[in-house]
Amino acid sequence: MDTGRYAKLFLSESRESLTEINNALLELERGGGDAAVARLFRAVHTMKGMGAAMGYTSVADLSHELETLLDKVRNGAIVVGRPVIDTLFAGVDSLEQAVDLATAPTPQQLDVTKVIARIRETASPEEVTQTFTSEFAIAAGEKKMPAPASDVPAPLPTQKAPRHIRIESKRLDTLMNVVGELVIARDRIAKVAERLGDDELAESILRASQILANLQNEIMTSRMVPVWQVFERFPRVVRDTAKALGKEVDFKIEGREIELDRSMLDEMGEPVLHLLRNSLDHGIEAPAEREKKGKPRVATLILTAERDRATVLIRVTDDGRGIDQTRVLPRAKKMGLVDKETTRLTEQELVAIISRPGFSTAEKVTEISGRGVGFDIVANRVRALGGSLEVHTDAGLGTSVSMRLPLTLAISRALLAKVQKETYAIPLTHVLETFSLSKPMLLESKGRLVVAIRDDLFPAIWLRERVGLPPTESAAAGQVVLIELAERKAALIVDEFVGQQEIVVKQFDGVNDSKTLFSGATILGDGSPALIVDASSLL
Amino acid sequence: MSDAVAVPPEEVLAEEPQVPTRRLLVFDVGGHGYACDMDAFRETRLPGAPETICGLINLRGTIVTVIDGGAALGKRPFKRAEGLILLAEYQERWVGIGVDDVRDIQDVPINLFASPGETGISLAGAVTGAVEIDGERVLVLDIKTVVQQVIGQGR
């Protein structure tokens, strides 16, 4: 893990927390009462979490003691008076120094034993009080710094820490929109320049385009956030869930530094949580059962984030009982989802079946993941995000569920295609290849029209038909887009291609089928909106 | 923009312009009026949506869904080439409503508002009353309800 980078983030966020702590403390001093205490408690709690996450023991320990003291104040065990306020101020001062030292170019941990002793003393008023002078010493062992005398603040590290500012994500969305507009404006100017045939103008536009590309890239980058910002709440949830279920689990997170666009990160938390709960509830066995099977008593649950080209793979792997085909099959047959003769399901078939609403092999309904809900919710969410789901399972050995997601919801590359006079965008993530359609390629198989490409047959889908336009006179004319989603393929037939383009994805208000047919809309070079075809609704 | 827009129960024929005109969409943002050429609003058909939706427009980078005011009220569909699009705020975003024409803005004393009676408009709760303006009975619509009934949750 790139700790240096997170140290900077920690520094900027802890400054915010410290400001909040100081303000709340001042409010308490002014007689702010319970509200001020609650505010203070929250802010200190945040500091504690951040300190612990970074391994800054001095920050975490000190925050912990302050929290304990505040808790006593909160539940009325201690009355707020001068001594309490003074101790809190002294504690917060130390906290600031601890943060500065921990994030200095040569990180050190502040010796907090004395100030902790003072906080504990304040927290236990029945014990004999003793006057305390604030003295801070640097922990021995590491490079020694002169201990600052009391009342003199520790010298600040000379190297200027890069400053972070927090921006409302809406502003970044607006920036994206504006840049999108700029791209459209640029395209219009380029068209005019082409007509005028002025070389100098063309060259200027080219330069402007490069700057624009840089700008777009910068904004995209500024929207990227590491997955840990969402993952960090999972260890606690896993722990609590496992405890409630009486299961023993070793939970690991891998690839927490992998970055995703904010828009995507916001959306993927829920599905991941569902998968983790599913594993804990249905996958992982009770300790006794595991021992009986000769498995380690403590199960392993791993959450992995991995970058794969323009996508991110989020995987939940457990070493539980796996998805039992012998239990899925009878139910699938009963529900008429597979042929009666089927004896074995492929992993794709398995995914398709367990993704169905209401399908579950869980014997009892539990509080944790309910009955049958969960997997279909995950499948739906992932599809809506333009991703796909893969499941690998070995009966008795465990299950691994992978969500493949695009890096961003905001921008994607798309193939622009026309039917009649309408232009539609087809996300390139689902496009395998394109061909010109010719008569010999169009065949009939099992009463359905299929397109033969090389030695394979793919179901033919006319985009015209899907968007409610009348069919063309010659069915065997047009262009073929071979699309793929979760290893299912189809030949999408359009009239003509306009080209490939980077599109800014925008949401729109849809009604009825238009909501499932399209995953969003974008704005074309001429300023008109174009709908983005949702590949999952075609297949 | 006010929440309620008065719509005459009878169709109003657009007057034939005598001098060349530019058809503008006039709207209000933050207390200021703005107008843009209607040409700027190239409409995109929205397949899969009912006939009460006429499509999508690009309003300065935002995709706005446009309701066909005529179809929604059970009248003849609004004429795209001649009509206007009103913008209504709905759940913190814009929704367009296509109408044939915009006539006037009037201050009507509240004691002139009467119960609408039988309107023949199928959108539940869309008509909140009726007023007589210049001798003509005009139905008062609750635009939010109209939008709600046609679009629902939308996205």
Side-chain angles (χ1 to χ4, degrees):
Chain A
M1 185 166 100
D2 179 4
T3 43
R5 202 151 130 229
Y6 296 123
K8 285 172 204 159
L9 190 67
F10 167 81
L11 189 60
S12 91
E13 292 195 340
S14 59
R15 287 240 188 284
E16 239 172 71
S17 283
L18 283 167
T19 311
E20 170 69 7
I21 291 170
N22 276 310
N23 289 341
L25 195 47
L26 291 170
E27 196 189 312
L28 181 67
E29 197 177 27
R30 286 194 302 264
D34 290 352
V37 174
R39 199 177 142 197
L40 199 49
F41 189 87
R42 273 197 303 274
V44 169
H45 185 75
T46 307
M47 274 304 294
K48 180 173 140 181
M50 289 194 296
M54 293 299 298
Y56 299 155
T57 49
S58 56
V59 176
D61 292 351
L62 196 48
S63 308
H64 176 75
E65 294 299 329
L66 285 170
E67 205 184 308
T68 310
L69 174 59
L70 286 165
D71 191 42
K72 288 192 174 170
V73 173
R74 197 165 62 166
N75 61 33
I78 298 176
V79 180
V80 182
R82 199 68 246 169
V84 171
I85 302 260
D86 284 346
T87 303
L88 285 170
F89 270 115
V92 172
D93 287 346
S94 303
L95 200 53
E96 283 185 341
Q97 292 189 25
V99 167
D100 284 339
L101 285 175
T103 52
T106 42
Q108 293 168 74
Q109 297 301 318
L110 181 77
D111 182 354
V112 289
T113 44
K114 276 191 182 170
V115 71
I116 283 179
R118 176 174 172 188
I119 296 167
R120 284 189 179 154
E121 203 177 279
T122 314
S124 324
E126 63 280 359
E127 282 167 30
V128 185
T129 51
Q130 177 192 339
T131 32
F132 181 91
T133 49
S134 52
E135 270 180 68
F136 306 105
I138 308 300
E142 290 174 302
K143 280 176 203 158
K144 280 197 177 175
M145 269 175 78
S150 57
D151 300 331
V152 180
L156 283 171
T158 43
Q159 189 200 332
K160 259 200 181 157
R163 293 168 62 107
H164 288 259
I165 54 165
R166 284 223 197 147
I167 308 173
E168 207 189 334
S169 52
K170 237 182 167 175
R171 297 210 162 227
L172 290 175
D173 291 344
T174 310
L175 266 179
M176 280 288 295
N177 272 343
V178 173
V179 170
E181 290 290 290
L182 206 51
V183 170
I184 291 162
R186 190 262 333 262
D187 289 347
R188 281 191 193 158
I189 298 169
K191 267 186 197 159
V192 176
E194 213 178 286
R195 207 174 59 217
L196 295 175
D198 186 323
D199 286 350
E200 214 180 323
L201 182 59
E203 204 190 299
S204 305
I205 292 169
L206 194 69
R207 282 214 44 203
S209 295
Q210 287 160 353
I211 298 167
L212 193 53
N214 276 344
L215 182 61
Q216 200 165 17
N217 195 30
E218 273 302 310
I219 293 171
M220 271 308 296
T221 312
S222 67
R223 289 166 55 96
M224 299 292 266
V225 262
V227 292
W228 63 256
Q229 291 202 4
V230 166
F231 284 8
E232 68 185 349
R233 69 188 168 107
F234 294 147
R236 182 63 199 270
V237 178
V238 168
R239 179 197 156 273
D240 292 354
T241 309
K243 216 173 157 196
L245 291 164
K247 293 179 179 176
E248 290 173 31
V249 180
D250 180 15
F251 180 51
K252 291 181 187 143
I253 296 180
E254 288 166 7
R256 62 180 79 218
E257 71 285 353
I258 298 292
E259 289 185 325
L260 270 174
D261 186 79
R262 174 93 249 167
S263 57
M264 184 58 80
L265 199 68
D266 289 344
E267 298 291 331
M268 62 140 220
E270 273 321 292
V272 172
L273 198 57
H274 266 297
L275 291 180
L276 291 173
R277 287 195 167 134
N278 245 340
S279 275
L280 288 165
D281 201 5
H282 305 310
I284 289 167
E285 312 91 332
E289 191 186 335
R290 290 181 65 87
E291 278 181 338
K292 218 157 66 188
K293 285 181 179 167
K295 284 178 161 185
R297 189 180 163 85
V298 179
T300 308
L301 181 61
I302 308 169
L303 173 60
T304 321
E306 212 175 278
R307 176 86 177 253
D308 182 17
R309 284 167 295 149
T311 62
V312 162
L313 271 172
I314 311 282
R315 188 181 305 123
V316 172
T317 311
D318 67 53
D319 62 351
R321 58 171 71 94
I323 300 170
D324 193 350
Q325 289 242 4
T326 58
R327 279 164 63 199
V328 173
L329 254 178
R331 249 190 89 84
K333 283 181 184 168
K334 214 166 139 193
M335 287 172 78
L337 302 175
V338 289
D339 284 350
K340 291 231 154 33
E341 292 77 43
T342 313
T343 52
R344 176 116 203 114
L345 295 166
T346 64
E347 278 174 338
Q348 275 69 52
E349 287 168 332
L350 198 61
V351 176
I353 289 167
I354 60 177
S355 306
R356 288 185 70 93
F359 190 93
S360 173
T361 58
E363 276 147 14
K364 51 183 185 207
V365 182
T366 68
E367 230 176 276
I368 306 303
S369 43
R371 187 216 304 264
V373 293
F375 206 79
D376 59 309
I377 291 176
V378 173
N380 276 337
R381 290 299 306 139
V382 170
R383 250 203 320 264
L385 296 173
S388 60
L389 209 56
E390 288 154 40
V391 176
H392 297 286
T393 184
D394 284 316
L397 294 175
T399 306
S400 151
V401 183
S402 308
M403 305 193 297
R404 185 182 288 278
L405 299 168
L407 282 181
T408 174
L409 281 175
I411 285 195
S412 68
R413 281 200 77 77
L415 180 67
L416 298 182
K418 269 192 169 170
V419 283
Q420 208 148 302
K421 278 179 179 166
E422 300 176 348
T423 307
Y424 292 90
I426 305 160
L428 275 190
T429 41
H430 303 303
V431 175
L432 287 179
E433 275 178 280
T434 58
F435 303 90
S436 276
L437 185 64
S438 60
K439 200 153 184 159
M441 289 166 77
L442 207 57
L443 306 170
E444 211 184 291
S445 164
K446 294 177 192 165
R448 290 182 66 190
L449 282 170
V450 294
V451 175
I453 295 168
R454 290 184 286 266
D455 291 334
D456 289 315
L457 299 177
F458 302 98
I461 299 168
W462 275 268
L463 185 59
R464 268 176 174 278
E465 199 183 297
R466 295 301 173 107
V467 299
L469 291 171
T472 39
E473 281 165 26
S474 159
Q479 302 288 327
V480 181
V481 190
L482 192 59
I483 53 171
E484 181 195 46
L485 186 91
E487 298 181 39
R488 277 186 299 161
K489 292 173 189 155
L492 181 68
I493 300 163
V494 301
D495 289 4
E496 56 178 306
F497 293 137
V498 182
Q500 265 186 36
Q501 200 178 302
E502 197 132 277
I503 56 167
V504 179
V505 182
K506 291 158 188 280
Q507 295 306 305
F508 69 94
D509 289 307
V511 185
N512 298 356
D513 292 348
S514 61
K515 277 204 268 194
T516 45
L517 272 171
F518 309 107
S519 56
T522 188
I523 294 165
L524 299 176
D526 66 357
S528 62
L531 291 154
I532 302 166
V533 177
D534 185 348
S536 64
S537 76
L538 296 173
L539 288 160
Chain B
M1 166 164 300
S2 72
D3 281 355
V5 174
V7 186
E10 300 302 320
E11 291 157 1
V12 185
L13 292 173
E15 281 174 40
E16 212 58 52
Q18 272 101 47
V19 285
T21 56
R22 269 171 75 188
R23 186 156 281 264
L24 297 179
L25 169 64
V26 184
F27 58 101
D28 220 59
V29 174
H32 295 272
Y34 296 90
C36 5
D37 278 299
M38 283 296 283
D39 286 353
F41 298 94
R42 258 169 276 230
E43 199 180 271
T44 299
R45 194 175 64 89
L46 182 55
E51 57 176 13
T52 48
I53 300 287
C54 37
L56 308 175
I57 56 165
N58 164 19
L59 183 72
R60 297 219 41 190
T62 305
I63 309 270
V64 174
T65 302
V66 181
I67 293 172
D68 186 322
L73 297 174
K75 309 285 174 197
R76 91 175 165 191
F78 103 108
K79 283 186 189 161
R80 185 65 193 87
E82 296 168 10
L84 289 168
I85 296 171
L86 305 179
L87 288 174
E89 207 175 2
Y90 178 67
Q91 294 186 359
E92 292 180 13
R93 52 194 193 249
W94 294 108
V95 169
I97 300 151
V99 297
D100 288 340
D101 206 352
V102 172
R103 274 206 237 161
D104 199 5
I105 293 174
Q106 290 203 2
D107 294 313
V108 181
I110 54 166
N111 55 7
L112 294 184
F113 283 75
S115 156
E118 184 50 50
T119 61
I121 288 169
S122 59
L123 295 177
V127 184
T128 58
V131 263
E132 195 143 302
I133 294 174
D134 303 331
E136 185 187 6
R137 189 167 171 270
V138 168
L139 298 177
V140 182
L141 297 176
D142 177 34
I143 283 296
K144 286 216 168 76
T145 306
V146 172
V147 175
Q148 168 75 41
Q149 297 272 331
V150 176
I151 291 196
Q153 277 309 303
R155 53 193 70 169

